[in-house]
Amino acid sequence: MPAITVAPDPFTLVPYDASTIAQLTAEAAALVGFPDDVAVTLEVDEVLPHPLTGTFVAVGPEGLDIWMSGANFEDPKRPLKFQPELALSELVRALLRAADRLRPEFSGAPTDEDLTDRQRAAWDVWTEGRAHRLGVPATRPDRLLYHYRLHHGFNDVADEVFRRLWDADALTWPEIDEACAETDAADTRERPKKTALRKEQLRAPRPSA
Amino acid sequence: MRKIFPPNELARDERFVRTKIEDRVFDPRNAAMMERDLGSAKLEPSRPAAADRARSLMHGIFVGEIQALEGAGRTCFDFDEDDAPFALKLDMARQCWDESRHVEISVKLGEWMGSEIGEFTESTFLYEAACADDPVLRLCGVNRALEGLAIDVFNAMKEFGDVAGDPVLEFCEDWMLADEVTHVKMGSDWLRRLTEKDPERRNRALEFQRTVDKIFSLGGFRGESDENPVHLARKFRRMAGFDEAEMDDLVEISKQAQADAEAMAAAAAEGGGAYGA
């Protein structure tokens, strides 16, 4: 089992428990087969409520850093309530993507902060498909499909690529990037003028604060 | 059969979970959230968690449609013809038919977006506004304030569908939006007719509408700045009988609601964190 550190400890704004989250992280690591010799540091941003979800992973010499919105663990029906099943599935997704980053086939992948929305959505589909096959609860293709279509387009080409990504057992970063190029070529929509917020922006204080 | 049916006895199965507006207003995270620079809050496909935010709003529309159906149905039954003329009841009956279709459309749209009935909470404030004992207050609180909000929300979702290239969402919202304009216009017309010779009753009804508008601005949910997820749909409100002064007033009410929510969050934060240390 990898060394796992969860912050904050204790939580002050939401009734989450750091040791419970560490246990779930260990369970997720075992499910994914995440290497024991890579230390995991998980920072949960307890300020962000549902539905402001978000996950970013970064692998460096010190180990794996995961940043996750507290909303990722929150029961959508009960504000502030920690939902263990949801938390486990979110942690599995984060660790699957982190494990990909440890492989040489992903050495060319941009950092999570630098992925385009299209690239991130495609990678998320492959991740979710694998989590589904691992028997992880709360994985639903119909749910992810809408998120994916927002970034890849509402057309047959995008849907076919979705099925391929979902079913894939092994992929490389260039293959994910090629899938994105395929949907990009079929996407006739106007490109958004703004890009999505990233972790650092989600955490940034207001200028007047 | 009893009249003025209480909100806590509305028929719901085990999928539905109720929440109160106060739960959101007094969320201990609010003060810290307000210190973040999250940029535009407008609902757009390129914003963070856009799919979840759209699904959550879609579910809010769905439960709102159920309550609008229940409210219009009660208005047909709760009053005799001295208080509510037959033609008004006929309009409410037509609205029931519209809302029934909207419920079915909303369920299917939710499925299309990867959601399901009961995924998010339900607040029954819309129905509560439909429990007033004066039909004119109901018309102002529900048809003008809340169906007016529905115009803003449907327009926001329609634009979201348009920008995202989602034809199903865009067209469905457009069709429902057309009905909402009719519902608001019914409210505007009946307010004028029923209070033609009773300015005091009209003022009371408009004050009730202002109260409902303020509560449903939900601390900045609706307005005209980048910080408001849903913007005032002035063109459609004009078609529904709102004049410019009323819409300007509504923007002010929304700003007040946002300022009040920030003050409440700051006051709550002074007491320290809610959990742990």
Side-chain angles (χ1 to χ4, degrees), chain A residues 77 143 146 189 202 204 206, chain B residues 35 37 118-119 121 164 166:
Chain A
K77 284 187 183 181
R143 190 174 179 74
Y146 196 74
R189 299 173 301 173
L202 283 168
R206 274 189 190 193
Chain B
E35 289 171 5
D37 182 16
E119 180 177 355
T121 55
D166 176 354

Side-chain angles (χ1 to χ4, degrees), chain A residues 14 16 21 24 42-56 66-76 81-94 97 120 124 138 143 202, chain B residues 29 48-49 52:
Chain A
V14 293
Y16 293 1
I21 294 172
L24 287 168
L42 169 62
E43 181 193 349
V44 181
D45 190 333
E46 61 175 338
V47 171
L48 298 172
H50 191 86
L52 278 178
T53 51
T55 310
F56 295 86
I66 306 175
W67 178 91
M68 207 173 266
S69 164
N72 289 50
F73 297 161
E74 185 177 8
D75 186 341
K81 190 172 186 297
F82 182 78
Q83 197 182 71
E85 193 178 82
L86 181 64
L88 178 67
S89 65
E90 292 287 352
L91 289 162
V92 165
R93 291 181 191 117
R97 201 167 70 259
R120 176 62 191 266
D124 283 347
R143 190 174 179 74
L202 283 168
Chain B
R29 295 168 291 192
D52 275 337

Side-chain angles (χ1 to χ4, degrees), chain B residues 2-3 42 61 77 95 113 121 146 153 170 188 193 224 241 246 267 269-270:
Chain B
R2 74 179 144 179
K3 300 201 169 182
K42 196 175 175 198
I61 291 171
F77 181 78
Q95 189 175 329
M113 296 165 82
T121 55
L146 295 172
V153 170
E170 185 191 354
S188 301
R193 288 166 69 175
E224 287 192 323
E246 272 185 302
E270 274 179 21

Side-chain angles (χ1 to χ4, degrees), chain A residues 10-16 45-53 67 70-71 74-80 117 140 142-144 146-147 149-151 153-154 189-190 192-198 201-207 209, chain B residues 14-17 19 23 27-29 32-40 44-56 111-116 118-121 160 163-167 169 227 262 273-277:
Chain A
F11 286 82
T12 59
L13 296 176
V14 293
Y16 293 1
D45 190 333
E46 61 175 338
V47 171
L48 298 172
H50 191 86
L52 278 178
T53 51
W67 178 91
E74 185 177 8
D75 186 341
K77 284 187 183 181
R78 294 166 188 85
L80 298 166
D117 293 333
R140 283 173 42 180
D142 60 331
R143 190 174 179 74
L144 190 62
Y146 196 74
H147 165 74
R149 282 171 168 167
L150 289 180
H151 298 299
F154 289 78
R189 299 173 301 173
E190 262 184 51
K193 294 178 187 75
K194 291 174 282 191
T195 57
L197 283 172
R198 301 299 180 196
Q201 289 165 286
L202 283 168
R203 295 196 295 192
R206 274 189 190 193
Chain B
E14 67 282 352
R15 290 172 294 182
F16 292 80
V17 174
T19 187
D23 293 341
D27 188 316
R29 295 168 291 192
M33 264 290 282
M34 285 173 184
E35 289 171 5
R36 300 280 178 98
D37 182 16
L38 295 175
S40 167
E44 290 175 332
S46 61
R47 305 302 292 167
D52 275 337
R53 290 177 67 206
R55 276 192 278 261
S56 171
E111 288 169 0
W112 164 252
M113 296 165 82
S115 183
E116 61 195 9
E119 180 177 355
F120 302 96
T121 55
F160 180 86
V163 174
D166 176 354
L169 181 65
E227 292 186 344
E262 286 176 12
Y275 302 96

